[in-house]
Amino acid sequence: SKWMNDPNGMVYYDGEYHLFYQYYPDSTVWGPMHWGHAVSKNLLQWEHLPIALFPDDNGWIFSGSAVVDWNNTSGLGKNGKPPLVAIFTSHNSTGEKAGRNDFQTQSIAYSLDNGRKWTKYAGNPVLKSPGIRDFRDPKVSWHEASQQWIMTLAVQDHISFYASPDLKTWSHQSDFGKESGAHGGVWECPDLFPLQVPGSKETKWVLLVSINPGGPNGGSATQYFVGNFDGKTFKNDNTAGTTLWMDYGRDNYAGVTWSDIPKADGRRLLMGWMSNWQYATTVPTEKWRSANTIPRELTLKNTPAGLRLMSSPVEELEKLRGKSSKIDAQKIEGVVDLSATLGFPAAQMEAVLEFELPNDSSADLGIEVSNSKGERYRVGYNAATKQFYSDRTQAGKTAFSTVFAEKIHVAPRLVNGNIVRLHVYFDRASAELFGDDGATVMTDILFPNEDYTQVKIYAENGSVQLKSGVFYAVKSIWE
């Protein structure tokens, strides 16, 4: 219930995935920020815990990260138990209102009981602003090669890297980004992590940067860079003028990855805030405002354009699959109504479809869900424009925002070939598309006046071959 936005402090420790998040417990609109807290053992079912961090004399608790200080570099651990250390932005609203430029500083807190109770460090803040208004969202990780902590910090229109031996004292290393990527808005919520290049032993570093506004379909979104990091400087491999987007939908923002995933697992796991600052405070929900995306695994893939970031639903989600309905391979031309054959509601559903396009096809193919009020949502691929799309222009409630349903959202196809794969998770108020095995991702929220009950697949402007198709009912994580 109430207001939430950015996921924060995501860390794995002692069998639990910790998810903290920007939280205002007194209203369904943004206000003085706290860190809400939930934990999960499987990335599916989450247990709400008491608020972890409350505003204090240094300010409201803005976004940040958390790590396990395995070697007790901070000296905050006791009796051989490593502390969990949260690193966050303290936002002094009084200083902001007074017109100061140094009202955002970085602070830390620590926990010795698996994140249940937190003690703020007496020496906060540990990093003061050099007089820059937007100086926030520290993402901290241990850099093994240089044996130090690295803080990736969003600073107005670029990223600043800081280093520390102990999480308490920080020194500026370098800056990146003033001449790279998209600059339609302020840079926020960065993340920096290594990923292995497929088919090799080479490692590349991925830098995530959320931007608001300036997204590819309007409002807030997350861009990324692929390159190298030596513990001091990030060097971008992307060609000048190239902007890469992690998700082309309107509603995946401020996503960051979990720290301290065990090496035996080895995945890079991300979750984002499922909304957009263009309308986040006005969406038509009564008791709650905002949700998170489903967890995703990030990998690199070689494409004709170079290395690109793939996002795939985590494999744990398959445990939520209930009844399934397999669709026979067939030629699709026009609309095929599946409503009577599925046997479960479209409002909570997973779809996995594989289409084969004829050469030089201009077909428009996809999935449509609708209800008895005539409201519909479409997600698919247009071969004529070589774009995936998400169409919520007729999906339900739209009066709360002039821009929510102003246009169909589109995204480029990043892989070649005649085989197009659509993997979509539908929930009552959201749809998450993973096109071509996660090469093109689109996340959009929607607000039908009643649940979608009807399901159709279609091919317009030409025929296509459905090679395989299966729909799954998705069980509730709360039951």
Side-chain angles (χ1 to χ4, degrees), residues 187-252:
W187 283 24
E188 297 185 313
C189 300
D191 198 355
L192 177 72
F193 51 86
L195 284 178
Q196 189 170 341
V197 177
S200 78
K201 294 184 178 179
E202 183 183 11
T203 295
K204 284 291 183 181
W205 287 79
V206 176
L207 174 64
L208 303 182
V209 178
S210 287
I211 179 172
N212 175 51
N217 280 293
S220 40
T222 301
Q223 59 183 321
Y224 71 92
F225 306 87
V226 180
N228 295 298
F229 182 73
D230 60 4
K232 183 179 178 69
T233 304
F234 179 83
K235 293 186 177 178
N236 181 22
D237 286 352
N238 307 152
T239 56
T242 300
T243 301
L244 306 177
W245 299 102
M246 184 176 69
D247 191 315
Y248 283 84
R250 279 262 189 97
D251 299 305
N252 181 7

Side-chain angles (χ1 to χ4, degrees), residues 258-321:
W258 266 275
S259 70
D260 294 281
I261 297 295
K263 288 183 179 179
D265 181 322
R267 292 177 296 174
R268 180 58 57 172
L269 302 174
L270 174 137
M271 184 181 278
W273 173 49
M274 195 155 57
S275 196
N276 189 306
W277 280 118
Q278 286 187 321
Y279 42 73
T281 60
T282 61
V283 293
T285 57
E286 294 177 3
K287 296 182 179 180
W288 57 278
R289 275 250 171 75
S290 304
N292 285 330
T293 68
I294 57 176
R296 300 154 185 214
E297 178 182 3
L298 303 182
T299 57
L300 287 175
K301 181 182 176 113
N302 286 301
T303 75
L307 283 173
R308 294 295 183 261
L309 191 64
M310 305 288 114
S311 300
S312 303
V314 295
E315 61 186 9
E316 285 89 339
L317 286 160
E318 294 180 7
K319 297 175 183 176
L320 295 178
R321 288 174 175 171

Side-chain angles (χ1 to χ4, degrees), residues 131-427:
I132 298 173
R133 293 178 65 84
D134 298 305
F135 187 76
R136 59 176 177 266
D137 310 338
K139 186 62 161 70
V140 171
S141 60
W142 178 256
H143 188 251
E144 187 67 28
S146 60
Q147 290 289 294
Q148 61 185 346
W149 297 102
I150 297 296
M151 178 191 293
T152 307
L153 193 71
V155 183
Q156 278 186 333
D157 62 347
H158 65 278
I159 298 299
S160 290
F161 296 104
Y162 288 81
S164 172
D166 58 7
L167 295 168
K168 298 174 179 176
T169 55
W170 294 91
S171 58
H172 179 257
Q173 302 298 300
S174 67
D175 296 322
F176 167 79
K178 288 187 177 182
E179 308 298 326
S180 302
H183 285 276
V186 67
W187 283 24
E188 297 185 313
C189 300
D191 198 355
L192 177 72
F193 51 86
L195 284 178
Q196 189 170 341
V197 177
S200 78
K201 294 184 178 179
E202 183 183 11
T203 295
K204 284 291 183 181
W205 287 79
V206 176
L207 174 64
L208 303 182
V209 178
S210 287
I211 179 172
N212 175 51
N217 280 293
S220 40
T222 301
Q223 59 183 321
Y224 71 92
F225 306 87
V226 180
N228 295 298
F229 182 73
D230 60 4
K232 183 179 178 69
T233 304
F234 179 83
K235 293 186 177 178
N236 181 22
D237 286 352
N238 307 152
T239 56
T242 300
T243 301
L244 306 177
W245 299 102
M246 184 176 69
D247 191 315
Y248 283 84
R250 279 262 189 97
D251 299 305
N252 181 7
Y253 191 63
V256 287
T257 63
W258 266 275
S259 70
D260 294 281
I261 297 295
K263 288 183 179 179
D265 181 322
R267 292 177 296 174
R268 180 58 57 172
L269 302 174
L270 174 137
M271 184 181 278
W273 173 49
M274 195 155 57
S275 196
N276 189 306
W277 280 118
Q278 286 187 321
Y279 42 73
T281 60
T282 61
V283 293
T285 57
E286 294 177 3
K287 296 182 179 180
W288 57 278
R289 275 250 171 75
S290 304
N292 285 330
T293 68
I294 57 176
R296 300 154 185 214
E297 178 182 3
L298 303 182
T299 57
L300 287 175
K301 181 182 176 113
N302 286 301
T303 75
L307 283 173
R308 294 295 183 261
L309 191 64
M310 305 288 114
S311 300
S312 303
V314 295
E315 61 186 9
E316 285 89 339
L317 286 160
E318 294 180 7
K319 297 175 183 176
L320 295 178
R321 288 174 175 171
K323 185 178 179 181
S324 65
S325 179
K326 190 175 181 181
I327 311 303
D328 292 337
Q330 57 187 288
K331 182 180 180 181
I332 307 289
E333 190 167 13
V335 175
V336 178
D337 194 336
L338 304 174
S339 308
T341 59
L342 285 189
F344 46 82
Q348 208 163 295
M349 177 180 72
E350 176 189 0
V352 185
L353 303 176
E354 183 174 282
F355 297 91
E356 183 173 12
L357 300 171
N359 291 331
D360 300 320
S361 173
S362 59
D364 179 345
L365 60 90
I367 307 167
E368 178 185 295
V369 291
S370 59
N371 59 26
S372 65
K373 292 184 177 293
E375 297 166 345
R376 72 175 194 180
Y377 169 74
R378 279 189 161 196
V379 58
Y381 175 71
N382 187 324
T385 60
K386 293 182 170 55
Q387 291 177 322
F388 288 93
Y389 61 88
S390 169
D391 181 358
R392 65 181 182 194
T393 58
Q394 303 174 57
K397 295 182 175 73
T398 62
F400 59 90
S401 165
T402 58
V403 299
F404 181 81
E406 63 182 341
K407 62 183 179 181
I408 298 172
H409 305 152
V410 296
R413 191 178 188 207
L414 299 182
V415 299
N416 296 325
N418 289 11
I419 303 298
V420 176
R421 296 182 178 90
L422 301 181
H423 187 178
V424 191
Y425 280 84
F426 296 94
D427 205 350

